[in-house]
Amino acid sequence: MLNGVHYKTNNPVKITFEKDLIASIKLDKTLQTDNMICPGLVDLQINGFKGVDFNEEGLSVDSVVLVTRELWKAGVTSYFPTLITNSDENICATLETIEQACEKHSLIDKTISGIHLEGPFLSSEDGPRGAHPLKHIKAPDWDLLNKWQTIARGRIKMITISPEWPESVNFIKCCRSSGILVAIGHTNANEEQIRNAVQAGARLSTHLGNATHLMLPRHSNYIWEQLASEQLWSSIIADGFHLPPALLKVFLKIKEGQSILVSDSTKFAGLPPGSYSSHIGGAIELNSEGRLFMKDKPKMLAGSARSLLNCIDHLVNSEITSLETALDMASFKPLELLGKHYLYGMEEGKKADLIIFKRVSGKIRLLKTIKAGEVVYKA
């Protein structure tokens, strides 16, 4: 049984489970608590965490388990390991390892709800390409994706592509018919190419506002076109470093009800401040505020080292949105995008994926994480 304040109604409730489902949610005004209960967090973009990188050679089953357990400590009950542009061999090896981890550990299998391929079908342009290695960038290849999907045993549920490639429209249609969510990102596509991609079935903008040219035409560009699309949702990195508050406000107003939070965390998330070395960025620095940057170019970010909890805190403390809305963007909204909202939420009969927390001095202090009715983390 769980006791706490319902994050939407602000009423004290008692929650009971039956196996992996919520059996009952009952109002109990006799409860004296400031602990809050909300659905477990869902992160569709995890490159790594706590020293483990899904994109480095030699990934082990134990490392996948470690990341999952550390994410439970950060309130994440479902996530997508995210594979960036790499060699075919390395992608195959990583997919095999993730599949083995899921087959070996049932609770890991339930937590890894899909795999996100962020590449290699991205823009080759400097700027939009970001840190993705140019030598592995290529045009969308349905046969290659099928090969990877066979290795992953159908676990690839999301792919980020740039629709500037001539092969994009047919590729997107094939993905859509196979149940793979297509996102637009790392792109130099023009307006027509973006519109064609949306018409073909693309439904999301990956970390909108990041992985772009430093300078863009003021009136006609790929950010405005994605914002203008009523069919496209947007994922945003609201860690306080990737996007300024004014831009976050604009994005969330335009994409109200169609925005999700992603951490886009690297292996440096969850590590103490200090100097580190990255296989992509070389010498990097993580400061006490959680900003990860290039050591020889301090103005350049070297990825994200923050969790979804940090993103929620930033949105609330900056008065960009309410706690309830921020929590929804990090839990229920990603599931709505994936078409799984009927399975999860704070209702009887839904999956028992929940977190209990307090707000202390403007920060979420996680107390307990429940995955499939089991307590997987307790402070």
Side-chain angles (χ1 to χ4, degrees):
M1 177 183 292
L2 294 180
N3 299 330
V5 177
H6 194 297
Y7 82 111
K8 280 189 176 293
T9 66
N10 286 319
N11 290 324
V13 294
K14 287 185 176 180
I15 301 179
T16 59
F17 305 143
E18 185 174 338
K19 295 183 179 179
D20 63 343
L21 301 178
I22 297 173
S24 66
I25 302 178
K26 295 183 178 179
L27 177 68
D28 189 343
K29 293 186 177 180
T30 66
L31 288 175
Q32 299 294 320
T33 181
D34 57 355
N35 294 350
M36 300 191 71
I37 305 178
C38 83
L41 306 185
V42 180
D43 198 333
L44 303 187
Q45 198 157 0
I46 296 281
N47 304 288
F49 203 82
K50 202 70 173 184
V52 175
D53 190 332
F54 287 123
N55 296 282
E56 287 183 348
E57 292 185 36
L59 182 73
S60 67
V61 168
D62 288 344
S63 294
V64 176
V65 173
L66 171 63
V67 169
T68 306
R69 288 176 174 166
E70 291 297 328
L71 287 171
W72 287 337
K73 296 178 184 178
V76 175
T77 55
S78 294
Y79 78 99
F80 282 7
T82 300
L83 280 58
I84 68 167
T85 302
N86 212 324
S87 68
D88 184 22
E89 295 76 18
N90 285 343
I91 290 175
C92 289
T94 301
L95 291 172
E96 287 176 355
T97 302
I98 294 171
E99 162 61 19
Q100 289 167 8
C102 292
E103 287 294 321
K104 189 175 181 180
H105 304 276
S106 62
L107 211 52
I108 302 299
D109 183 30
K110 292 177 182 177
T111 305
I112 295 177
S113 50
I115 295 171
H116 176 183
L117 290 183
E118 189 187 2
F121 314 132
L122 308 177
S123 176
S124 60
E125 284 269 324
D126 289 345
R129 191 179 73 252
H132 291 249
L134 178 60
K135 65 180 179 179
H136 296 309
I137 295 290
K138 62 188 71 177
D141 186 331
W142 180 243
D143 289 337
L144 181 58
L145 179 57
N146 271 325
K147 172 186 172 182
W148 291 335
Q149 188 70 294
T150 299
I151 294 170
R153 295 196 179 182
R155 296 183 188 278
I156 298 171
K157 300 295 184 183
M158 177 177 171
I159 185 166
T160 294
I161 74 164
S162 173
E164 66 201 69
W165 298 94
E167 299 86 349
S168 297
V169 169
N170 287 335
F171 181 84
I172 293 169
K173 289 179 179 178
C174 290
C175 288
R176 182 181 180 182
S177 65
S178 299
I180 299 174
L181 174 69
V182 178
I184 297 172
H186 290 274
T187 186
N188 188 39
N190 60 39
E191 291 87 341
E192 182 181 5
Q193 290 167 334
I194 290 172
R195 288 193 292 268
N196 289 342
V198 173
Q199 188 174 8
R203 293 190 58 212
L204 178 69
S205 299
T206 289
H207 49 51
L208 190 61
N210 295 115
T212 67
H213 293 96
L214 293 178
M215 299 291 288
L216 288 171
R218 59 180 178 174
H219 290 150
S220 178
N221 62 62
Y222 44 74
I223 293 180
W224 286 120
E225 189 64 35
Q226 290 176 81
L227 280 173
S229 172
E230 296 182 1
Q231 289 77 35
L232 280 179
W233 287 50
S234 66
S235 71
I236 56 174
I237 309 170
D239 61 354
F241 309 115
H242 278 76
L243 297 171
L247 195 56
L248 282 171
K249 287 181 180 179
V250 170
F251 283 4
L252 294 185
K253 283 182 179 179
I254 295 175
K255 294 293 184 180
E256 185 176 2
Q258 291 181 303
S259 296
I260 67 171
L261 294 180
V262 293
S263 68
D264 200 15
S265 65
T266 63
K267 71 175 186 179
F268 304 103
L271 297 183
S275 298
Y276 296 95
S277 178
S278 167
H279 69 290
I280 294 178
I284 59 175
E285 189 81 15
L286 176 61
N287 69 16
S288 58
E289 295 177 345
R291 185 176 185 270
L292 187 68
F293 57 92
M294 309 290 289
K295 201 162 188 178
D296 58 344
K297 298 178 181 177
K299 291 185 178 181
M300 289 188 64
L301 294 177
S304 170
R306 307 294 271 170
S307 71
L308 283 184
L309 291 177
N310 301 131
C311 294
I312 293 167
D313 284 338
H314 175 65
L315 288 177
V316 175
N317 294 336
S318 301
E319 298 183 344
I320 293 171
T321 191
S322 66
L323 177 61
E324 177 189 336
T325 299
L327 288 169
D328 275 344
M329 289 169 57
S331 60
F332 185 75
K333 281 296 177 179
L335 295 169
E336 182 180 340
L337 173 66
L338 294 170
K340 295 185 176 181
H341 54 288
Y342 62 92
L343 293 174
Y344 299 89
M346 290 276 286
E347 296 177 15
E348 294 177 359
K350 300 295 179 72
K351 295 287 186 181
D353 286 9
L354 303 164
I355 60 173
I356 301 179
F357 66 93
K358 286 183 178 181
R359 286 273 291 171
V360 180
S361 301
K363 292 185 178 181
I364 291 177
R365 180 187 168 201
L366 189 66
L367 303 175
K368 193 177 290 185
T369 302
I370 296 92
K371 174 65 189 177
E374 295 186 36
V375 176
V376 292
Y377 170 70
K378 186 176 181 180

